[in-house]
Amino acid sequence: MSEKELPGEATIVEAFQDGTLAEMVFTNFGYLSSEHLEPIVALCANLHNTDRIDLLSLTQADLLDTIGSTNFFVGQHFFCKVIPHLTGPAESLMEAVESLVIKGGRDFASNAPNAAFREWCAVDVDRSRHIIERAKEGHPLATKLVTFAFEAGRLMKEALALLDDPSQEVRLSAITALGRMDLENDEAARVVLQGLEGVLGGELDDLLASNILVATVSIVSKRSVAIVQEATRVVQRVISRGGPTVLEGCAYALRAHGKGLPRRVIDLILEALLTVDPSDDALVRQLDHALWTLLDSDHRDRAVEFLSQFLPASASSLDSSSFEHSGSHLKRESKDRLWRTLIKWLLSGERVLCEWTPSLLEGTPGHDKPQKIPADCLPLTATERVFLARKAIGYLFQKPVCCASILLALLRISEEETTESIAELLYDPMLVNYGGDLREYLESLPTDDDAQPAVERALARADGFLADLQPPDAIKELHPSEHERQIHLQLTSDQMSAAFRKVQANSVLLNLVSRSVVLYGRRSVAYLQVPGASRRAVEVDLHPHSVSIEMPRQQLLDPVGLDFMLRVYRAERLTR
Amino acid sequence: MKLILRQYLASLKEREELDAILPDLLSELGFTVLSRPGRGTAQAGVDVAAVGEDSDGERKVFLIAIKRGDLTRQSWDGTPQDLRPTLNEVQDVYIPTKLPSRYRDLKIVICICLGGDIQEQVRGHLTGYEEQHTTEQLSFQEWTGDEIAEMLLRGVLREQILPKELRSAFRKAVAMVDEPAVAFRHFADLSRRLVAASKRSQIARVRSARQLYICLWILFVWARDVDNVEVPYRASELSLLSTWEILRPLIGKRNKNAKALSAVFGRLLMLHLIIATELLDTKIVPHAAKRYAISMAVQSRSSADVNLRLFEVLSRIAMTGLWYHWLATENDGDGAEDARQKSVALFKAGTELINSNPCLLLPLCDNQAIDVALFLLLAAAVSPSSNFIAAWLGEMAKRLAFTVRTHGAYPCSFHEYRDVTSHPRERTASYREEATAGSILIPLLAAWLPPLDRIAEFQELADLKQDQLRHTTLQLWLPDQDGESSLYLGGDLHGVALLDLPLEAGHRELVDTIFEACEANSAFAQVSAVRTGHWPLMLLACRHHRYPVPPQFWISHARTPDSSTGAPGA
């Protein structure tokens, strides 16, 4: 359907009557731009409210089952727009909303009809009151959706009154609604917090306690510091109960409201989260999302501090891959900020933190280019400086330029004795293993650089080493046979293919777009049919793209020795 | 074929290299060789003297003066070593004073033997000289490269005794010297056929041995020309072993054929050492002390290649050193001292090689324990008090434990190159179990460590066996009664595997068990190479055909006063 051909009233009624309206809604309406969708929504709502069509009949489960997921969300979008404008019995509307939510399954957008229902309630406060009454009577759908009714009607007193309702579900809805409500002022917030704290005094399970915590955190995140004390007290009381559900609540609260929280509340929650069981994958995932929120706020350092404590304490059952989202946030930060974190982690010597270092640099712009390491984050004592240099080699050896940047930063601030030790490391293993980019970097240092004398000595030693490395003539007797070379080539090729396939399979981009494999030519041309126009040629010039890595010499000459050395550097700890 | 021989003759570098084949060549042509000179000891101008039939059917004395390469104006006359003074010396000194009296009635032919050709500018001088000195009793013959090649084809390499398929195998070996694996396959084929042909008679045995020797010389000279002596090195090992197998039935016999065979074996050993020297002294030893230099010279992108080649080099150094050590004990005087110094120098080169190439601190394949054992034997022979071996084995044990525990490049029991070069293919317990199914390296290390005061490293191995390698069958290998042919020629499985060595029970228990097994194994002493005192030959067989070095060779070094309960080992 083109936008020029929007259906009129008669078309819609006719479609409803002959049973094709569902198809129209689920295949066309949702694709319309908001400019064109709005009149259709108004027209359909009017037709429904005047009983000429029944839009809600299109949400019956057996009909929805016939619709594919893509088309379903197109239609769901239309219903979310139209529901707030509908009139009629609340029960029918609740059934329609429930049906749409269930069909949405586990998709992120599946709860969108609930928001539409909240808007519907907000049109008339009596609608909210009706839903609350029905919930008190035990109507299952009303009980389930009453949160939105409270929220829409901002019915704080009614919600507070239901905090001791015999139905657990109603109490939960009331608590959730209180957390979500836009309260008028700090005084109202204080009243709600008192109400919530009152619930803590009675009998309650972990789920209720967890919801009280989330509601409290939600309230405090939206109000001024005036209620911090009360909120802190509630949070503290909930946390002291303990339990995995409460910890889930803590993680959720931080994820949803972490940005606006006062430091005291954050500290309390993070302290509780330190007790999370590392083997609880789902909870660790939530924790990762929570930390992402904090990293994106003024509490960034607190999040880093938490990771620095939590990961090492997890007794090797976790690694950085469990905190993928937090990691992606750290990668986006400024290099200066990132390096402060990385230096701190390398100095901690904690394996799990140090192991995260290379992957945090991976994918950042110029990750193996010369780095500017902030001098004020470097350690003060000679022992710590050498320790840091060895840790950098242990973990960043595969990024020689980046690793050398740390060594140079240390050389610039070090005394003679430390300089010798670090310059030795710059020679062996760095220059002994790498030429190429590392050498270029070192040779390009300005003459007035404080690290220059030590670098010059290391380069001179490397020259001597390289001169000895090649015997004057080829020793043909040592060369592998052609057959052996072919086998090795084939093995390498198989490994590369396997790695390439794995990367392709995991690539988000490649899974979203279609691919064309060009076998011949230096550019491509394809013709696209534009609706209502002639075919258009799309030309693409092809350019070579390649990536190269330098293999450390010892990987070839003494792989066991190299592995051993790096493991020793990684395993070393400072005695404090 | 003639072209190959011609080129070979032209490429001979030393006069002695022509000496080396000429007597055998003449013997195969029916001559009786009266004298064969040693290095630099031509008797009054005569390098080889022989009696035989000339082309006119008359029996004559042939006095041969050998000059390498082409005859030029410079090498005709000037210094006492040039041809004209040599010919004068033969007539003035040799014939009147040194020719055995029983041949004085025979006519004499002075043969001018040249690896190359006679250049035109000197042709007139030579012809004039010959005409001037030719008499009824004395004549001259010129044996240039062409003639000698012809003689080889008429004699030792004639088609009746070196049939087409053998010539073909030999030609292919020569043609492929730059692709050692292929060339060696063809040479091994030739060797196998010659051994088979030798079984017809004692004369056939002598002939096969001589053919092998001459073919090896030709192969070596060709390979040297293309600067790659890998094939002749391997071929020389196989030739020595094959010749011993040919010679074995004649051990203890004192007839002409037994003596001839023994002489060929001796010359083959010298040729083997010449080839080994060409490889080691000129290519490896000068760079042995340079850090990573030999490793880099492998020119591969695979660390497995570097490891395999370096242990191979170490093994060759060890084996050559052991031969020189043996020669030193078998000879007297300057020769013995010279051989002793060479074995010491090779041990030193081996230590430098290990120090500068850390991949030698741990083998990638368990069967490289053979190479380790050979170097240990060299060390025990030439420098028994060296601390170097203790440090080397200690580091090896540490690296072994480290790599096994970290699923790194630990020694695997695979033999296929594909498996070895991709090892470790997986870092899983099940793969490691497969890759470490059996080991000869661990018992070897465990036996040697405590006597070298490396108790902690021994314990580390014992713990490793207990923790990670419970599935590994620790074993050694002993020869048995029936396998001697296979020992020299390779092929069929033979010998006895000594299993379930009690490492965890301590060094004393381990060594006592091995010692007891050695005592009970009478076959070792019966092996002809050991029985006749040619023990390096058995080690060479182990090296070449990849059999573990029998513990009889080293058990005495593994026994300390603490661990010893009886008489010292073999």
Side-chain angles (χ1 to χ4, degrees), chain A residues 176-195:
Chain A
T176 308
L178 286 168
R180 289 182 184 173
M181 250 174 237
D182 277 334
L183 300 172
E184 281 177 18
N185 50 33
D186 289 345
E187 192 46 44
R190 204 168 274 128
V191 170
V192 171
L193 289 175
Q194 278 169 6

Side-chain angles (χ1 to χ4, degrees), chain A residues 476, chain B residues 177-178 221-229 283:
Chain A
K476 291 182 186 173
Chain B
V177 281
D178 232 1
V221 172
W222 268 79
R224 189 177 58 190
D225 253 17
V226 297
D227 195 29
N228 185 351
V229 296
K283 298 192 171 185

Side-chain angles (χ1 to χ4, degrees), chain A residues 13-274:
Chain A
V13 173
E14 195 180 323
F16 176 72
Q17 285 167 352
D18 65 17
T20 57
L21 183 58
E23 190 189 336
M24 197 180 282
V25 168
F26 284 102
T27 54
N28 296 122
F29 286 179
Y31 286 117
L32 295 171
S33 63
S34 56
E35 184 193 343
H36 293 95
L37 182 60
E38 273 172 26
I40 289 288
V41 164
L43 179 60
C44 288
N46 182 40
L47 291 172
H48 175 88
N49 294 340
T50 54
D51 291 334
R52 294 167 68 190
I53 62 170
D54 181 3
L55 281 177
L56 299 185
S57 67
L58 305 183
T59 64
Q60 285 169 6
D62 52 348
L63 198 149
L64 292 182
D65 284 346
T66 63
I67 295 165
S69 71
T70 309
N71 283 345
F72 167 74
F73 285 105
V74 168
Q76 188 218 51
H77 179 58
F78 167 79
F79 276 107
C80 289
K81 291 282 180 191
V82 83
I83 282 173
H85 303 289
L86 301 183
T87 56
E91 287 74 9
S92 307
L93 199 82
M94 286 193 287
E95 277 169 21
V97 167
E98 175 71 356
S99 186
L100 288 167
V101 169
I102 288 172
K103 173 69 181 174
R106 302 181 68 174
D107 194 278
F108 283 129
S110 64
N111 285 322
N114 288 335
F117 178 69
R118 187 172 51 216
E119 278 187 56
W120 180 82
C121 291
V123 171
D124 181 354
V125 75
D126 284 342
R127 290 180 180 176
S128 293
R129 291 189 199 286
H130 177 71
I131 301 292
I132 291 166
E133 284 308 312
R134 297 290 286 146
K136 281 187 195 169
E137 291 162 10
H139 186 278
L141 278 179
T143 308
K144 205 170 178 181
L145 296 169
V146 71
T147 303
F148 306 108
F150 282 127
E151 203 184 336
R154 297 170 73 185
L155 301 171
M156 182 187 93
K157 282 181 188 162
E158 286 81 348
L160 284 170
L162 288 180
L163 286 180
D164 54 0
D165 192 272
S167 159
Q168 160 102 339
E169 218 170 334
V170 171
R171 291 170 81 190
L172 276 174
S173 298
I175 291 166
T176 308
L178 286 168
R180 289 182 184 173
M181 250 174 237
D182 277 334
L183 300 172
E184 281 177 18
N185 50 33
D186 289 345
E187 192 46 44
R190 204 168 274 128
V191 170
V192 171
L193 289 175
Q194 278 169 6
L196 293 174
E197 195 175 4
V199 179
L200 289 174
E203 266 189 34
L204 79 167
D205 62 10
D206 279 356
L207 187 60
L208 273 177
S210 174
N211 276 267
I212 289 172
L213 182 133
V214 173
T216 306
V217 169
S218 171
I219 291 165
V220 78
S221 72
K222 290 181 280 192
R223 307 301 325 169
S224 70
V225 291
I227 59 158
V228 170
Q229 202 176 342
E230 290 87 339
T232 306
R233 198 170 58 239
V234 176
V235 168
Q236 214 158 15
R237 284 188 67 180
V238 174
I239 285 173
S240 65
R241 292 176 53 87
T245 317
V246 169
L247 291 177
E248 275 176 34
C250 286
Y252 176 77
L254 278 191
R255 176 186 173 180
H257 311 293
K259 279 186 184 171
L261 284 182
R263 175 71 183 236
R264 250 175 95 190
V265 176
I266 286 187
D267 285 347
L268 268 179
I269 294 176
L270 286 178
E271 199 182 325
L273 286 172
L274 280 175

